[in-house]
């Protein structure tokens, strides 16, 4: 090895940027939002009884450093939205396939 310091293999270099999400195929805007906020909850809502019926993936976030009151307000808003999203999923179960 030529010059430089030795660090354990799992330690990132000091100049490394925060780790980015794995290449999930998400838009840059979604990746930036995921990195910028604090995740409060995540959920997968199935659109049908079978795996190939699709899913809605929800990640509830607040701003980093939010107070307990702010997080509670976000969670209360999400409960209403979650009921709506779940109702969409149950409606798709009733749709007849062509």
């Amino acid at each position: 090895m030529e010059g430089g310091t030795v660090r354990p293999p799992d330690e990132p270099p000091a100049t490394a940027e925060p780790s980015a999400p794995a290449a999930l195929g998400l838009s840059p805007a979604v990746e930036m939002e995921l990195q910028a906020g604090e995740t409060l909850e995540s959920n997968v809502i199935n659109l049908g009884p079978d795996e190939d019926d699709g899913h809605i993936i929800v990640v509830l976030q607040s701003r980093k450093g939010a107070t307990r009151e702010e997080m509670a307000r976000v969670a209360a808003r999400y409960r209403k939205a979650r009921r709506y999203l779940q109702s969409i999923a149950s409606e798709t179960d009733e749709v007849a396939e062509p």
Side-chain angles (χ1 to χ4, degrees), residues 1-5:
M1 184 193 258
E2 295 181 27
T5 56

Side-chain angles (χ1 to χ4, degrees), residues 31-33 35 37 41-42 46 50-51 59 62 64 69 71 76-77 95:
E31 288 187 7
M32 285 189 303
E33 287 294 327
Q35 291 175 355
E41 185 177 338
S42 58
N46 295 319
D50 299 323
E51 277 295 310
V59 178
S62 68
K64 285 193 190 253
E69 292 80 18
M71 287 188 273
R77 289 180 183 142
V95 175

Side-chain angles (χ1 to χ4, degrees), residues 4-19:
T5 56
V6 177
R7 64 177 139 318
D10 58 351
E11 183 181 325
T15 58
E17 294 181 24
S19 61

Side-chain angles (χ1 to χ4, degrees), residues 29-53:
V30 170
E31 288 187 7
M32 285 189 303
E33 287 294 327
L34 289 172
Q35 291 175 355
E38 184 173 333
T39 300
L40 302 178
E41 185 177 338
S42 58
N43 198 357
V44 177
I45 300 170
N46 295 319
L47 291 175
D50 299 323
E51 277 295 310
D52 59 353
D53 288 335

Side-chain angles (χ1 to χ4, degrees), residues 42-48 53-58 78 81-90 92:
S42 58
N43 198 357
V44 177
I45 300 170
N46 295 319
L47 291 175
D53 288 335
H55 306 85
I56 298 171
I57 300 170
V58 179
Y78 173 62
R82 182 178 56 203
R83 286 191 298 269
Y84 177 71
L85 291 171
Q86 290 170 331
S87 74
I88 292 171
S90 64
T92 61

